[in-house]
Amino acid sequence: MSPLLSTTDLRVAFPVGGGLFSKPKLVRAVDGISLDVHAGETLAVVGESGCGKTTLGRTLAMLQRPTSGSITFDDARLDQLGPRDLRAARRSMQMIFQDPYASLNPRQRIAAIVAEPLLIAGVGAASVNIRVAELLDLVGLGAEAGARLPRAFSGGQRQRIGIARALAASPKLIICDEPLSALDVSIQAQIVNLLVRLQRQFGLTYVFISHDLAVVRQMASRVAVMYLGVIVELADVDALFARPRHPYTTALLSAVPTLAVRNQPAAKPLLVAGDPPSPLNRPAGCRFHPRCWLRKQLDNPSRCTSEEPKLVGPDTQRVACHFSEEAAMQPRTGANEPAAAGLS
Ligand SMILES: Nc1ncnc2c1ncn2[C@@H]1O[C@H](COP(=O)(O)OP(=O)(O)O)[C@@H](O)[C@H]1O
Ligand SMILES: [Mg+2]
């Protein structure tokens, strides 16, 4: 079966700066991503703040045009569609945003917010009202919520409104960009449960951008680990958590105490030194090499600085590291580096 969504060598570069006498520089936010998303699965995207997750998500949803590369959704080449066809195709793919405060118009009543995608799709007024009531029920708010304004609702409730709006046009794919990170921990679990229930009920496919690896482990079928605009590891969730093969993934996992590997002494987190480098100025060779704990333990790591590793391996676990065998062998105990890899 062909994947629901597929990209090849997707790139998004933003020109920044530049003036009368200088050319703008390029921020290569997404720098060559090829991936497939299969119908019914949840593909998680993880990685530090600034690595390009939001840009990738917005580009998959075609809210952002790619600079180059292809996006195929439901057998249509989105990057080649004109505005009208694109609008139609985009109904089948919706986005849920991080900030449920910023993403709802404060002056619009909830019913109007949820109805918007239906009206755009040309659904008649009478059916719209019925459908909006149905959707508000579905997300656990109740139809009477429709008459109120966003300010009457808490963060979790607003995220439910965002989910109702995303569901309105019966999409196949929902791209969730850190949908939990603005919510209280106690509310997060409820939203996770809602998303899981809706996925089962409607056979939805999710691209789930998150920095919460515990939630990712619970929800995802596969995980893409991003670093500076590329995917460095793409694996089935069980394989990734049992035996991460990229030194960056290993470091991310070891920073989460609750994910400590069984049968291993409570390991010190494997730390990653320094801030992620800027996408304006990416390191030669492997982009992770300046911060890589493994490279420092190798006898001859010259390939790390001279050759960019490709994402290779079986479909169950592909990894972009010249020394992925060595990485997988390492016990997850800490090299003594000054700063931990923060995920946000
Ligand atoms: N519209 C834009 N113009 C210029 N740079 C941008 C724009 N959007 C994102 N970026 C840059 O692209 C990189 C990736 O950003 P983003 O996709 O938001 O990452 P993440 O969601 O992983 O935090 C960052 O360096 C960010 O500053
Ligand atoms: Mg983001």
Side-chain angles (χ1 to χ4, degrees):
M1 202 172 65
S2 63
L4 177 62
L5 176 75
S6 171
T7 74
T8 42
D9 203 24
L10 196 66
R11 288 170 198 269
V12 182
F14 301 107
V16 291
L20 272 182
F21 304 106
S22 58
K23 282 208 286 189
K25 290 187 163 180
L26 286 180
V27 177
R28 300 178 196 280
V30 171
D31 204 20
I33 287 190
S34 302
L35 59 79
D36 291 339
V37 184
H38 303 285
E41 81 165 331
T42 297
L43 174 72
V45 179
V46 304
E48 282 160 297
S49 181
C51 71
K53 303 181 299 297
T54 293
T55 306
L56 175 65
R58 288 175 47 82
T59 310
L60 295 179
M62 287 299 282
L63 297 172
Q64 164 75 48
R65 283 252 170 204
T67 310
S68 66
S70 72
I71 307 178
T72 307
F73 176 68
D74 229 359
D75 297 323
R77 274 286 297 268
L78 297 189
D79 52 289
Q80 294 177 341
L81 294 181
R84 177 199 287 258
D85 290 334
L86 186 57
R87 225 174 299 134
R90 280 196 19 212
R91 258 175 243 145
S92 303
M93 52 202 312
Q94 294 290 323
M95 237 178 134
I96 298 172
F97 299 94
Q98 174 170 358
D99 187 347
Y101 292 89
S103 59
L104 305 178
N105 179 346
R107 279 184 285 275
Q108 236 181 344
R109 294 192 189 281
I110 304 309
I113 291 173
V114 175
E116 207 166 66
L118 296 167
L119 296 171
I120 293 172
V123 177
S127 327
V128 166
N129 290 338
I130 295 169
R131 178 84 177 125
V132 167
E134 218 174 75
L135 287 161
L136 289 172
D137 262 342
L138 204 55
V139 298
L141 285 174
E144 59 288 352
R148 308 177 76 179
L149 291 167
R151 65 163 177 265
F153 297 93
S154 68
Q157 290 170 323
R158 288 180 204 210
Q159 203 51 296
R160 289 174 192 268
I161 296 165
I163 294 170
R165 175 176 58 186
L167 285 176
S170 306
K172 293 181 179 169
L173 174 72
I174 300 185
I175 296 162
C176 310
D177 188 3
E178 309 213 28
L180 310 174
S181 57
L183 306 178
D184 291 344
V185 176
S186 58
I187 306 295
Q188 290 182 0
Q190 298 173 11
I191 299 295
V192 168
N193 291 341
L194 175 63
L195 289 170
V196 170
R197 173 165 65 77
L198 293 170
Q199 180 171 43
R200 287 208 195 105
Q201 196 169 345
F202 299 107
L204 296 168
T205 307
Y206 290 146
V207 171
F208 189 82
I209 299 169
S210 178
H211 64 260
D212 187 333
L213 291 168
V215 170
V216 164
R217 186 182 210 176
Q218 183 191 345
M219 282 191 65
S221 27
R222 289 190 306 142
V223 185
V225 180
M226 276 184 81
Y227 189 81
L228 265 191
V230 296
I231 293 176
V232 294
E233 184 156 4
L234 179 61
D236 290 352
V237 70
D238 293 337
L240 186 106
F241 281 92
R243 195 162 176 260
R245 303 195 64 154
H246 196 287
Y248 180 61
T249 315
T250 317
L252 288 185
L253 297 193
S254 73
V256 186
T258 52
L259 296 176
V261 194
R262 237 174 296 154
N263 306 330
Q264 264 188 26
K268 254 195 296 175
L270 244 181
L271 301 171
V272 175
D275 295 326
S278 148
L280 271 171
N281 194 4
R282 73 166 197 78
C286 170
R287 347 188 143 209
F288 183 57
H289 86 255
R291 298 168 78 202
C292 183
W293 55 269
L294 177 63
R295 188 173 68 96
K296 293 169 189 152
Q297 301 173 9
L298 296 171
D299 292 333
N300 183 11
S302 62
R303 276 181 89 192
C304 303
T305 46
S306 62
E307 192 187 328
E308 175 152 37
K310 294 193 173 66
L311 192 62
V312 291
D315 280 350
T316 50
Q317 189 161 22
R318 296 200 288 144
V319 58
C321 172
H322 298 307
F323 297 96
S324 61
E325 290 301 323
E326 286 83 345
M329 304 288 285
Q330 292 288 326
R332 287 201 234 153
T333 48
N336 297 310
E337 299 293 349
L343 265 179
S344 59

